[in-house]
Amino acid sequence: SQSCEINLKIVVCSPFSFHLNQSLREGLMWSMNAAVRATVRVGIYTGAKVYFVHEGYQGLVDGGDNIKPATWESVSMMLQLGGTVIGSARCMDFKEKWGRLKAACNLVKLGITNLCVIGGDGSLTGANQFRTEWSELLADLIKQGKITAEEAKRSSHLNIVGMVGSIDNDFCGTDMTIGTDSALHRIIEVVDAITTTSFVMPDCVCMRVRVCVCVHLCAHVSVRACVCINIAVCPHSYLALVTALACGADWVFIPEMPPEDNWEEHLCKRLIAQRERGSRLNVIIMAEGAQDRKQKPITCDQVKNLVSKKLGFDTRSTILGHVQRGGTPSAFDRILGSRMGVEAVMALLEATPETPACVVSLSGNMAIRLPLMECVQVTKDVTVAMAEGRFEDAVNLRGKSFQNNWNTYKMFFFLLSWSDIWATCNINIAIVNVGAPCAGMNAAVRSAVRAGLIQGHQMLAIHDGFDGLANGQIEPITWAQVGGWTGKGGSNLGTKRNLPGKNIEQISLNIAKFNIHSLIIIGGFEAYLGGLELVTAREKYEELCIPMVVIPATVSNNVPGSDFSIGADTALNTITMTCDRIKQSAAGTKRRVFIIETMGGYCGYLATMAGLSSGADAAYIYEEPFHIHDLELNVVHLIEKMKTSVKRGLILRNSNANDNYTTQFLYNLYSEEGKGTFDCRMNILGHMQQGGTPTPFDRNFGTKMGAKSVLWLTDKLKECYRHGRIFANTPDSACVLGMKRRSLIFQPLTSLKEDTDFEHRIPKTEWWLKLRPILKILARYEAVEIDTSEVAAMEHIIKKTGEIKGGKI
């Protein structure tokens, strides 16, 4: 595309909503900078001239210095910054036609016909209205003599593309909006801190998340602790719902699905039941706009007083507020913003006067384009459905991701007493962790244990991997034993890398001895290989003819059958935050290049995605072979970079990228070739990538994977029950549960062998490799080829959610 002559000008702005009828929001601290950076750099790369609009629509109206050309260097060192560096402001002027006339005049004078808007549904609706009346605005400007007919002809149409920036994740049509994951990080950090304090001094703490943080702990020690957290962000509930799943809350109030009548009694029974199970702390999450079935508001103080007076629990409340909007963006948000920015520029390049305004969205791991006003309409329909008391419709309209979270929550948290979970059948399900430990394993174990107990099964814990299964380290595990596991890193069950192999006979004997009817294997590539070995051994050992499921959990993200693995997000954030600090250390010294080695074995997922999230100049991986010529180009690239205002470099290398071009070799090469221009430092991150507290994504992902695996095993056990015993020997009775594109699916272990590179322990097909050209473009390499085999064509959201007619979907 660089060889083409493109007369294209793109303007980027991040306005507040301008609609007066929208509820006023208290601040804008979304992770927009990654999207701004990607839009600017990809726009420049394609030959376009890119402009910043400072202070949102107000800057568009005022013009002048508010609309400035953007340069490559102007978006450097902004990935780690929260908020938006180009500013944003509420604009009542843009609501009026005279304000839009001024904005149109400013754009026409600069020859700008492409507008990229980052904001919520109000901002995007305003952009669409601006586009719809563009021809009328031009005609009025000609009549007023403010522009010439020739200028109007050159700007005859306006292209619009939107990216959704909102911590609320309340825009229908996308799984995640820019900023949501970062907000979840802030919330979970605070919740973890407060619950930890409460375990030490177990008082009842009520948290409300809105304007401030206030936690009051009594000096005395009480065994009756309750935390009530109000996630007061907007009358939509994604943050509250996911927080409830991620921290194992006892109750959540969300406006889309109010509690049943007499909820006060049910809540008290729930809290009492949790105490009977041995819990020392209760956590209640509240979303702003929480209401009952009669649409009467439910307040944090109301719940606090109820628990205090009726149960005698010493209760505290906390308001988190703007802490959710601030801070460093998460790795997920940085990558999401970068991908959305690239797709936005592609959409503008391909736009015609007939192309409807679109919004760039995320569906699974795919970037898609949706008609802007369809998404806005469905988003508004959610509010209408809630106002009319059609709460099931509201949940369905919120999309598949929200529905999955809600269904998982319902499974765990609608139990009121021990009698709800006591086993009603004689099925034993065993859980084992295999391979290297990673954050999120414990969340999957906890979820599987509790889901199994809810289904009426007895759950068994196998300690220390397949070795423990061979040695009989097997014991029942209860509801209370897994309490608090969601937020713990590592593997509480213990894990080893050893495969069944030589112990297969002893394993089969213990499966029979402990009467194990099905097996959940949570781990990395070793879990996948171990599952295959058990399936192969079915021919000789009938005891192994039981349903099995493998849940991918590894920082390497290298398990065939799944695009994502539990633990990879936590490791990615660890690498990203470390790179931020390393880059910051060069702020004073300048002219410094850092060579950093990441984990992952032969899989380059961590190196590639960390390169995107941290703004690396190169990321060397095994899947993309590199030679001495490539290294020479990289060195020359950095030497040229040092001539600009950006005098620092970041190089990532996957641990097994190349046997000869080791991290030490790269350090020596860059040090020698960079003499007199830059100096080098080397960092090997090591096992710090495997530890740490799980991120919200890994907690939520592990929770859903564990629950789904148990539900699948329950159905499979019914299928395999013959003549009074369990017998499963078909390929589909031993599966990998993984996320593929847009959904969680089960795939037979044996069917994945063809897509597996066993020598290098990676899948033969890896979706994220298509993101590597983005890394190179954003680092300013020339002549980068982009794989366009999967074009993000315009889709329609109405088909997915269904139209509301007569109060039904």
Side-chain angles (χ1 to χ4, degrees):
S1 60
Q2 277 199 310
S3 62
C4 301
E5 300 230 352
I6 300 178
N7 184 18
L8 177 67
K9 295 183 179 179
I10 302 172
V11 65
V12 187
C13 67
S14 54
F16 272 119
S17 167
F18 73 95
H19 284 292
L20 288 174
N21 60 357
Q22 274 214 321
S23 61
L24 294 179
R25 306 212 179 146
E26 293 139 341
L28 183 67
M29 290 301 289
W30 299 322
S31 311
M32 294 178 171
N33 289 324
V36 172
R37 172 178 176 268
T39 304
V40 169
R41 291 194 167 180
V42 175
I44 293 173
Y45 179 83
T46 57
K49 189 171 185 179
V50 186
Y51 289 83
F52 284 143
V53 176
H54 293 272
E55 312 310 330
Y57 286 140
Q58 192 64 55
L60 209 58
V61 173
D62 295 341
D65 289 339
N66 289 303
I67 305 177
K68 295 180 179 179
T71 65
W72 195 277
E73 287 79 15
S74 65
V75 292
S76 294
M77 284 300 288
M78 61 189 296
L79 275 173
Q80 73 273 22
L81 301 177
T84 167
V85 296
I86 60 175
S88 185
R90 305 191 189 283
C91 182
M92 297 299 105
D93 294 347
F94 198 74
K95 183 178 182 294
E96 306 296 334
K97 187 171 182 180
W98 62 265
R100 296 193 293 277
L101 269 172
K102 289 183 66 178
C105 183
N106 290 328
L107 293 183
V108 171
K109 289 297 183 182
L110 291 170
I112 297 170
T113 57
N114 296 276
L115 184 62
C116 179
V117 180
I118 312 172
D121 59 333
S123 301
L124 299 179
T125 301
N128 186 70
Q129 181 180 352
F130 191 41
R131 178 183 187 270
T132 302
E133 61 183 19
W134 182 256
S135 297
E136 182 184 339
L137 294 174
L138 294 184
D140 289 346
L141 289 171
I142 292 175
K143 289 180 183 178
Q144 296 174 12
K146 294 185 177 180
I147 64 172
T148 65
E150 183 63 28
E151 287 176 324
K153 184 178 180 181
R154 288 199 301 266
S155 304
S156 58
H157 67 277
L158 178 68
N159 297 318
I160 296 286
V161 65
M163 289 181 277
V164 190
S166 167
I167 68 170
D168 307 328
N169 202 31
D170 59 350
F171 192 82
C172 294
T174 184
D175 288 346
M176 288 287 277
T177 56
I178 300 170
T180 301
D181 190 65
S182 299
L184 283 171
H185 275 252
R186 302 294 89 76
I187 295 170
I188 292 300
E189 286 169 6
V190 174
V191 173
D192 283 350
I194 292 175
T195 53
T196 301
T197 303
S198 298
F199 273 117
V200 176
M201 298 177 61
D203 304 305
C204 193
V205 188
C206 177
M207 285 184 261
R208 180 185 172 201
V209 187
R210 191 177 175 84
V211 178
C212 63
V213 181
C214 54
V215 183
H216 304 286
L217 292 176
C218 296
H220 70 278
V221 177
S222 167
V223 294
R224 298 174 177 270
C226 182
V227 182
C228 184
I229 308 169
N230 187 294
I231 311 287
V233 182
C234 69
H236 299 279
S237 314
Y238 182 87
L239 289 179
L241 183 55
V242 174
T243 299
L245 287 173
C247 71
D250 298 287
W251 199 279
V252 63
F253 291 93
I254 61 172
E256 288 93 338
M257 190 56 70
E260 299 292 338
D261 294 338
N262 200 25
W263 62 266
E264 295 92 342
E265 182 179 346
H266 292 164
L267 172 60
C268 291
K269 285 183 177 179
R270 168 75 184 176
L271 298 182
I272 291 172
Q274 288 296 85
R275 294 306 170 92
E276 291 175 353
R277 295 169 189 155
S279 174
R280 301 181 67 210
L281 174 70
N282 296 119
V283 177
I284 301 170
I285 305 291
M286 296 190 68
E288 184 182 37
Q291 58 185 351
D292 60 20
R293 290 276 164 174
K294 298 176 182 178
Q295 299 186 26
K296 181 181 177 181
I298 299 175
T299 67
C300 192
D301 286 341
Q302 179 183 351
V303 175
K304 174 186 173 182
N305 292 334
L306 169 70
V307 176
S308 298
K309 293 178 181 179
K310 193 162 185 177
L311 300 180
F313 292 178
D314 187 12
T315 308
R316 295 289 185 269
S317 63
T318 298
I319 305 172
L320 300 189
H322 279 75
V323 70
Q324 300 160 92
R325 297 186 181 274
T328 302
S330 67
F332 180 92
D333 269 335
R334 301 185 198 192
I335 296 168
L336 175 63
S338 298
R339 294 184 66 185
M340 298 301 98
V342 172
E343 192 59 44
V345 174
M346 294 299 107
L348 290 174
L349 287 171
E350 298 168 9
T352 66
E354 293 73 34
T355 305
C358 73
V359 61
V360 180
S361 302
L362 182 73
S363 182
N365 66 356
M366 297 177 62
I368 62 172
R369 302 174 198 167
L370 298 173
L372 172 59
M373 293 316 295
E374 283 188 18
C375 296
V376 170
Q377 183 57 52
V378 176
T379 302
K380 292 179 178 178
D381 288 344
V382 175
T383 304
V384 173
M386 288 192 292
E388 295 177 355
R390 295 182 286 106
F391 301 113
E392 290 287 350
D393 289 351
V395 171
N396 291 333
L397 284 168
R398 291 284 271 120
K400 187 176 180 181
S401 175
F402 190 90
Q403 292 174 47
N404 289 339
N405 285 317
W406 174 246
N407 290 334
T408 304
Y409 165 78
K410 285 196 301 183
M411 174 190 296
F412 290 116
F413 303 113
F414 277 1
L415 301 173
L416 300 180
S417 66
W418 274 114
S419 60
D420 293 327
I421 64 170
W422 277 127
T424 56
C425 64
N426 297 317
I427 295 297
N428 298 326
I429 299 179
I431 305 174
V432 61
N433 289 345
V434 178
C438 67
M441 269 187 168
N442 292 323
V445 172
R446 171 189 174 275
S447 175
V449 167
R450 293 193 169 181
L453 293 173
I454 291 169
Q455 295 297 314
H457 309 314
Q458 175 166 298
M459 304 303 294
L460 302 176
I462 301 172
H463 298 277
D464 296 335
F466 287 123
D467 287 358
L469 182 54
N471 297 328
Q473 296 173 248
I474 305 167
E475 62 180 5
I477 188 167
T478 65
W479 184 284
Q481 281 179 279
V482 294
W485 280 27
T486 305
K488 294 182 179 179
S491 169
N492 286 358
L493 293 184
T495 180
K496 290 186 177 181
R497 295 178 180 271
N498 297 336
L499 299 177
K502 59 183 181 181
N503 296 322
I504 200 77
E505 182 174 354
Q506 192 60 42
I507 286 174
S508 66
L509 292 175
N510 279 330
I511 286 177
K513 176 181 177 181
F514 289 91
N515 203 22
I516 296 174
H517 301 110
S518 59
L519 183 63
I520 299 175
I521 308 170
I522 303 173
F525 203 83
E526 292 86 358
Y528 168 70
L529 290 177
L532 280 174
E533 288 188 8
L534 294 177
V535 170
T536 303
R538 281 176 170 178
E539 296 179 3
K540 185 176 180 181
Y541 301 100
E542 189 175 305
E543 295 85 355
L544 300 177
C545 293
I546 58 174
M548 305 176 195
V549 62
V550 174
I551 298 178
T554 170
V555 301
S556 302
N557 196 35
N558 64 336
V559 178
S562 185
D563 293 339
F564 296 100
S565 296
I566 298 168
D569 185 69
T570 303
L572 180 57
N573 275 276
T574 299
I575 298 169
T576 301
M577 301 311 163
T578 304
C579 288
D580 285 348
R581 295 177 181 180
I582 289 173
K583 287 170 63 178
Q584 190 178 49
S585 71
T589 56
K590 300 188 184 330
R591 295 185 177 277
R592 179 162 289 174
V593 174
F594 295 94
I595 315 292
I596 299 176
E597 181 182 302
T598 67
M599 295 183 95
Y602 288 97
C603 180
Y605 174 83
L606 286 180
T608 297
M609 302 306 266
L612 276 171
S613 62
S614 60
D617 294 281
Y620 300 118
I621 63 171
Y622 167 79
E623 292 93 339
E624 190 175 277
F626 56 96
H627 308 285
I628 194 65
H629 177 65
D630 302 300
L631 299 178
E632 181 185 3
L633 288 176
N634 296 149
V635 171
V636 171
H637 166 79
L638 284 172
I639 291 174
E640 292 300 313
K641 184 179 180 180
M642 296 300 164
K643 298 176 183 177
T644 69
S645 59
V646 185
K647 301 183 185 301
R648 61 191 162 271
L650 182 67
I651 304 294
L652 299 181
R653 178 188 177 276
N654 188 51
S655 55
N656 290 354
N658 188 289
D659 290 338
N660 297 309
Y661 299 140
T662 63
T663 304
Q664 184 67 50
F665 175 88
L666 293 180
Y667 168 73
N668 294 337
L669 175 67
Y670 277 83
S671 297
E672 180 64 29
E673 298 299 323
K675 277 184 178 178
T677 305
F678 58 79
D679 60 4
C680 289
R681 295 292 185 273
M682 182 176 70
N683 292 269
I684 298 177
L685 302 185
H687 283 77
M688 65 180 293
Q689 299 161 83
Q690 288 184 341
T693 302
T695 60
F697 178 90
D698 279 332
R699 299 185 194 201
N700 190 25
F701 192 37
T703 298
K704 285 192 282 194
M705 295 278 272
K708 194 172 183 70
S709 66
V710 169
L711 295 178
W712 180 82
L713 285 174
T714 301
D715 291 338
K716 191 61 65 175
L717 285 165
K718 293 176 183 176
E719 293 178 18
C720 301
Y721 186 77
R722 298 169 191 158
H723 309 296
R725 67 190 187 99
I726 304 295
F727 185 80
N729 66 345
T730 58
D732 65 352
S733 64
C735 291
V736 170
L737 170 59
M739 177 178 282
K740 297 296 288 185
R741 292 180 179 266
R742 301 184 181 185
S743 57
L744 293 175
I745 61 173
F746 291 89
Q747 299 171 84
L749 282 162
T750 52
S751 70
L752 296 170
K753 292 170 70 174
E754 293 183 1
D755 188 44
T756 304
D757 179 350
F758 287 97
E759 179 183 356
H760 300 102
R761 300 161 60 88
I762 56 174
K764 293 179 181 178
T765 306
E766 295 173 303
W767 67 272
W768 49 267
L769 286 173
K770 293 184 179 180
L771 302 183
R772 285 188 60 80
I774 298 176
L775 171 63
K776 295 178 182 180
I777 290 173
L778 296 180
R780 210 172 192 175
Y781 286 92
E782 297 181 358
V784 178
E785 295 183 6
I786 299 180
D787 184 353
T788 58
S789 60
E790 292 187 6
V791 177
M794 186 80 78
E795 300 188 9
H796 292 276
I797 187 175
I798 297 296
K799 289 192 303 182
K800 298 180 181 181
T801 58
E803 297 182 22
I804 295 183
K805 295 180 180 180
K808 296 182 178 180
I809 294 184

